[in-house]
Amino acid sequence: MAYKTYHCLCSELIVALPKPLEQLPRREGDGSHVCEGGLTTVNALSAEDATIMKLDDGFEKRYPVVCRRCDLPIGYHLDLCQFEDSKSSSGPRSDVLYILSGALQSTESLQGDSHVSGVAQTSVVAK
């Protein structure tokens, strides 16, 4: 199976998905992409402490996920208590990642970018 890879805006590799991000379902509230099963995250850190979000229809307990390199928020996990099958549990449901809209860029979009090749390009201006 071919995986699609995505990077933080700082170019750090973050996630590999079994299908393109654009083909994943979106949440109604914030438009984040819902990634379930088959995903592999690297260079991303999940917060140990939850953030309580006030929504129009109540509250939601989220565990922010950020880029390990630049701390840019890339998504979140919901608390287990948010799901019917685990209401009596607490902690992040790590098998489902909600990726914030616009937080990642595909590897293909980085082609030709100096960050991917590992060689920094600089401009020198003579005075």
Side-chain angles (χ1 to χ4, degrees), residues 8-124:
C8 176
L9 299 180
C10 76
S11 78
E12 191 76 355
L13 178 64
I14 298 294
V15 67
L17 302 171
K19 60 178 157 179
L21 196 59
E22 301 78 30
Q23 292 180 9
L24 297 175
R26 288 181 170 260
R27 287 192 81 194
E28 277 189 39
D30 64 2
S32 61
H33 298 277
V34 182
C35 307
E36 294 185 70
L39 66 103
T40 303
T41 56
V42 294
N43 302 319
L45 298 172
S46 293
E48 291 183 22
D49 297 323
T51 301
I52 306 297
M53 302 292 295
K54 175 148 178 29
L55 306 175
D56 291 339
D57 60 349
F59 293 91
E60 189 169 76
K61 193 173 180 182
R62 296 179 181 179
Y63 293 84
V65 177
V66 299
C67 173
R68 182 183 307 255
R69 180 180 186 193
C70 71
D71 286 332
L72 184 72
I74 58 107
Y76 56 90
H77 296 288
L78 290 178
D79 193 85
L80 289 166
C81 70
Q82 303 289 139
F83 297 90
E84 239 1 91
D85 60 345
S86 58
K87 283 230 181 261
S88 62
S89 301
S90 186
R93 181 166 176 184
S94 57
D95 65 329
V96 181
L97 174 64
Y98 299 89
I99 298 177
L100 298 171
S101 183
L104 299 179
Q105 54 189 333
S106 69
T107 299
E108 290 81 17
S109 71
L110 290 173
Q111 296 299 327
D113 189 340
S114 63
H115 295 291
V116 173
S117 66
V119 178
Q121 296 177 350
T122 58
S123 299
V124 178

